[in-house]
Amino acid sequence: MTSFAVSPCSSTKALTLSVRPPEAVGALPGIWLGSSARSRLWRCTCGILKWSAKAGVEDVVERKGGRASRSVASREVLASDMGAGEEVVSRPLLRARTGEELLSHIRKEAESGKLPADIAKGLEELYYSYQNAVLQSGDPNASEIILSNMAVAFDRMLLDVENPFTFPSHHKAVREPFDYYMFGQNYIRPLIDFRKSYVGNIALFRDMEEKIQQVIVHGHNIVLMSNHQTEADPAVIALLLERSNPQIAENLVFIAGDRVVADTLCKPFSMGRNLICVYSKKHLDDVPELSDMKRRANTRSLKEMALLLKGGSQIIWIAPSGGRDRPDPMTGDWHPAPFDASSVDNMRRLLEHSGVPGHVYPLSLLCYEIMPPPPQVEKQIGERRTISFHGVGLSVAPEMNFTEVTAHCENLEEAKEVFSDILYNSVTQHYDVLKSAIYGFEGLNASNSVVSLSQPWQ
């Protein structure tokens, strides 16, 4: 995605499905479902909400801290396990028995004129790229995972071609009758090597949840100033935090650029996230005759965000760079793209003017191997997706207070630049630790006095 944010953290109880970790390197031993998903899981009799023959759902339901926990002996939770009842079962793509059947259906749709040729080509490329990535994981159930997840992905994408979804300025994650959030989680999950993935300073995420859950007048607002690497960033964040911090994982609202709400291959995944939709500065004038419309839309989105913040208990993710990180053209090295000081300051002022206590945290993401962007920024929507299986990282720095860190500045303009630079430098510092852990093969030993790495899913 281009940039994202967070919606109110609800107090809705979640159902924990504890999944037995396989020998495969990509399995995560647990998954959180919202209450709406939980209710469908027990009511659905159509057969789509089923576990594979190897799943073996146990009959014991434990109660821990007010949450229901159900142990499931399954190697993976598939995207098709969170379907939409009879609507999903009746669709032909979900009856496919092989990958070739899936691709054959896509080709027929293109030949009939129902599916644009460029989208059909993109879907076929996506299938093979996803297949190769999941096979890299070594999961013994890779073939089942690939077929299930790609069938649901193709089904949702074709549905959008037939009846395009239009995103409002403030989009709330679509959880029923089809759970797009869980669809996205289950699709990206097999791409993450959890044995080589890390979270930095997990205790700070717990502090955030406590602030959001304040009950005196309003819960506090949180803004995460982050770098941005892939379209899968929202799912990566949620997957790394779903066991330890489910409130944050499910309720983050992302400030999202227009490309992730316009691209057919991306839209179903965006539908499962809470979004404030904006037009990126980088693409504001790509089509000059649309520039005024885009600016008016951005104004509406800012108003929607201001209303959200006034209500409190919001956690918002924003990439002040205005887009995804790109590799250095000379060295090929990846590092966080510089922050735009005006974007940082706009978000800070919205937070301060909400009338609710607000907090700003630097957040660092390292996950570009999962789904890297094109080397250069492209004007055309519909980029080619290259996917791989890899370790990822997420780390948060302590809260940064604007007044405190800019007390020495002589004027407001200088203070804006200084605050933006300090946030960016913190993100870069944490990024380097994650890089040492994952690419330097140091693992948890990469921890230092600033970043304490852990694997909360263990």
Side-chain angles (χ1 to χ4, degrees), residues 226-242:
S226 176
N227 68 313
H228 175 30
Q229 296 212 310
T230 78
E231 292 174 333
D233 284 1
V236 169
I237 294 171
L239 285 165
L240 293 183
L241 296 178
E242 68 179 354

Side-chain angles (χ1 to χ4, degrees), residues 275-429:
L275 309 177
I276 295 292
C277 301
V278 300
Y279 288 94
S280 170
K281 281 186 177 181
K282 292 182 179 179
H283 301 287
L284 207 56
D285 297 314
D286 284 356
V287 183
E289 57 267 31
L290 297 179
S291 297
D292 287 343
M293 178 277 292
K294 292 180 178 180
R295 288 185 171 85
R296 289 194 298 271
N298 281 355
T299 299
R300 289 195 298 273
S301 296
L302 285 173
K303 290 180 180 178
E304 290 282 0
M305 197 183 326
L307 285 173
L308 274 180
L309 292 170
K310 286 181 183 299
S313 296
Q314 303 295 316
I315 179 166
I316 299 178
W317 183 97
I318 179 171
S321 63
R324 290 169 288 181
D325 303 337
R326 293 304 204 282
D328 185 296
M330 300 298 293
T331 66
D333 291 338
W334 288 75
H335 52 80
F339 285 0
D340 177 68
S342 63
S343 295
V344 170
D345 197 61
N346 285 340
M347 194 69 238
R348 177 190 65 81
R349 288 188 291 113
L350 279 171
L351 193 64
E352 287 186 356
H353 295 165
S354 68
V356 175
H359 311 270
V360 175
Y361 292 82
L363 185 76
S364 187
L365 268 171
L366 197 165
C367 59
Y368 63 83
E369 294 278 5
I370 296 293
M371 197 179 295
Q376 306 294 329
V377 176
E378 297 180 351
K379 290 186 178 182
Q380 190 71 27
I381 289 178
E383 66 190 54
R384 183 177 183 179
R385 269 72 177 186
T386 303
I387 302 172
S388 66
F389 173 79
H390 208 276
V392 299
L394 173 71
S395 187
V396 64
E399 174 185 358
M400 293 203 175
N401 182 281
F402 177 79
T403 302
E404 292 177 2
V405 301
T406 63
H408 64 285
C409 296
E410 296 183 359
N411 55 61
L412 182 58
E413 289 306 311
E414 180 188 359
K416 292 177 184 178
E417 295 291 339
V418 167
F419 189 56
S420 180
D421 287 345
I422 290 175
L423 287 168
Y424 174 75
N425 291 338
S426 178
V427 168
T428 300
Q429 182 183 32

